[in-house]
Amino acid sequence: MPAMVGAVKVINIGSSSVFHIGDVYKIQPYTQAKTFAGGGSFNTGDGIRVHLENAQTTMVDNDEFDQNLTGI
């Protein structure tokens, strides 16, 4: 069934977002990310105490591509 849409104002769309108005068969946003974090990272909450005497995050990544996105 066709969509009836009035005025639309788009302020901002992220790099891997989808903006859609009306009928659609398939929406397939894509993104990829790689995160490296050391000990005590990504902690959330109140009153967290992390004591790391000598912490190091060692990253060795010999390949050029980790996850190839094809057909996009």
Side-chain angles (χ1 to χ4, degrees), residues 22-45:
D23 298 336
V24 67
Y25 169 71
K26 182 178 181 181
I27 295 178
Q28 186 176 0
Y30 64 94
T31 185
Q32 59 184 351
K34 183 187 288 188
T35 304
F36 300 100
S41 300
F42 306 115
N43 290 327
T44 58

Side-chain angles (χ1 to χ4, degrees), residues 4-60:
M4 302 283 268
V5 179
V8 175
K9 182 177 182 180
V10 178
I11 303 298
N12 190 5
I13 295 181
S15 62
S16 64
S17 301
V18 172
F19 178 72
H20 158 68
I21 295 178
D23 298 336
V24 67
Y25 169 71
K26 182 178 181 181
I27 295 178
Q28 186 176 0
Y30 64 94
T31 185
Q32 59 184 351
K34 183 187 288 188
T35 304
F36 300 100
S41 300
F42 306 115
N43 290 327
T44 58
D46 296 329
I48 293 177
R49 294 183 185 192
V50 178
H51 299 282
L52 302 171
E53 294 298 324
N54 187 10
Q56 296 179 358
T57 300
T58 305
M59 188 273 304
V60 177

Side-chain angles (χ1 to χ4, degrees), residues 28-32 67-72:
Q28 186 176 0
Y30 64 94
T31 185
Q32 59 184 351
Q67 182 178 5
N68 297 331
L69 299 175
T70 60
I72 298 172

